């Protein structure tokens, strides 16, 4: 079946612009995650949804970052008034069920590469 | 919190064996994942360990020692397509993954 998809794949924004990044998780996956990956680094956790509920947003770097998943499927990560330090790859991942063990395995999308000029 | 350490880069010859190490310190531990990431692509799941010992899956094996906070990924019979970054990540039951910086493996002919 289809994996996690993200759009756009690439986004160039001028400093101060707002951007919206979309994630389509694997069908039926309850959990959805957003990560930020800077060049040469591992992904850093941003936020987590279980169905439509945002259960953890402790990784969001500032109040300019906002995520939603209103119907428990597609999610959007919005960044307001983008800054140069927001330039990174934004990865979305989904997993089948929350809980413990191998069911936690997260499957990643290809990411959106954001460049803020 | 989570603190995960991986060496940054290694080069190996096609057909060889390479071992990628990962040490971690966590306030809670509920398993360790290995992912492979080719440049510009999504991380792809390789293995999951929660109990001590070796898990073998084809050319890839992963080992875990919980008491030492240590894991390694063993890649056998290296192929050119194995050139990628290898990420280890721990989970502490709060659903998020905490990743290391990744280890870049370069396979040469």
């Amino acid at each position: 079946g289809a994996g996690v998809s993200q759009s756009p794949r690439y986004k160039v924004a001028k400093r101060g612009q707002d951007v919206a990044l979309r994630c389509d998780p694997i069908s039926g996956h309850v959990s959805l995650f957003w990560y930020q990956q800077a060049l040469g680094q591992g992904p850093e956790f941003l936020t987590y949804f279980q169905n439509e509920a945002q259960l953890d947003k402790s990784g969001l770097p500032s109040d300019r970052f906002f995520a939603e998943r209103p119907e428990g499927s597609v999610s959007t990560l919005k960044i307001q008034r983008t800054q140069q330090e927001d330039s990174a790859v934004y990865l979305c991942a989904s997993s089948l069920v929350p809980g413990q063990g191998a069911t936690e395995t997260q499957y990643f999308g290809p990411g959106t590469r954001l460049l803020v000029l | 919190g989570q603190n995960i350490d991986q060496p940054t880069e290694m080069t190996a010859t096609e057909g060889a064996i390479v071992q990628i190490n990962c040490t971690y310190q966590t306030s809670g531990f509920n398993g360790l994942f290995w992912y492979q990431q080719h440049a510009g692509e999504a991380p792809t799941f390789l293995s999951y360990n929660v109990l001590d010992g070796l898990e073998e899956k084809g050319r890839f094996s992963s080992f875990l020692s919980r008491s030492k906070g240590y894991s390694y990924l063993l890649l056998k019979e290296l192929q050119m397509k194995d050139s990628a970054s290898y990420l280890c990540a721990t989970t502490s039951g709060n659903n998020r993954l905490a990743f290391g910086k990744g280890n870049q493996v370069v396979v040469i002919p």
Side-chain angles (χ1 to χ4, degrees), chain B residues 6 20 35-36 46 73 75 82 84-88 102-103 105:
Chain B
Q6 291 184 258
I20 305 165
Y35 283 84
Q36 179 192 61
L46 291 178
L73 181 70
L75 285 62
D82 297 331
S85 179
Y86 291 86
L87 300 159
C88 75
N103 183 305
V105 172

Side-chain angles (χ1 to χ4, degrees), chain A residues 28-51:
Chain A
H29 277 198
V30 168
S31 299
L32 185 145
F33 304 81
W34 284 97
Y35 292 84
Q36 181 189 60
Q37 187 173 24
L39 192 63
Q41 303 294 313
E44 295 275 348
F45 171 82
L46 294 176
T47 187
Y48 160 61
F49 290 86
Q50 186 176 358
N51 295 307

Side-chain angles (χ1 to χ4, degrees), chain B residues 9-83:
Chain B
E9 184 170 318
M10 55 176 59
T11 302
T13 306
E14 203 173 5
I17 299 173
V18 68
Q19 177 173 316
I20 305 165
N21 298 318
C22 174
T23 59
Y24 64 88
Q25 294 176 310
T26 65
S27 55
F29 179 79
N30 198 38
L32 186 142
F33 292 83
W34 283 96
Y35 283 84
Q36 179 192 61
Q37 187 177 29
H38 287 102
E41 296 183 12
T44 54
F45 170 74
L46 291 178
S47 67
Y48 170 74
N49 295 67
V50 66
L51 300 177
D52 286 356
L54 186 68
E55 297 271 347
E56 298 189 72
K57 194 186 292 186
R59 295 190 298 114
F60 293 0
S61 303
S62 56
F63 172 83
L64 177 68
S65 168
R66 294 177 67 138
S67 61
K68 294 181 180 177
Y70 168 69
S71 174
Y72 68 73
L73 181 70
L74 197 67
L75 285 62
K76 304 175 199 171
E77 301 167 20
L78 275 178
Q79 301 176 9
M80 298 298 290
K81 67 179 181 180
D82 297 331
S83 292

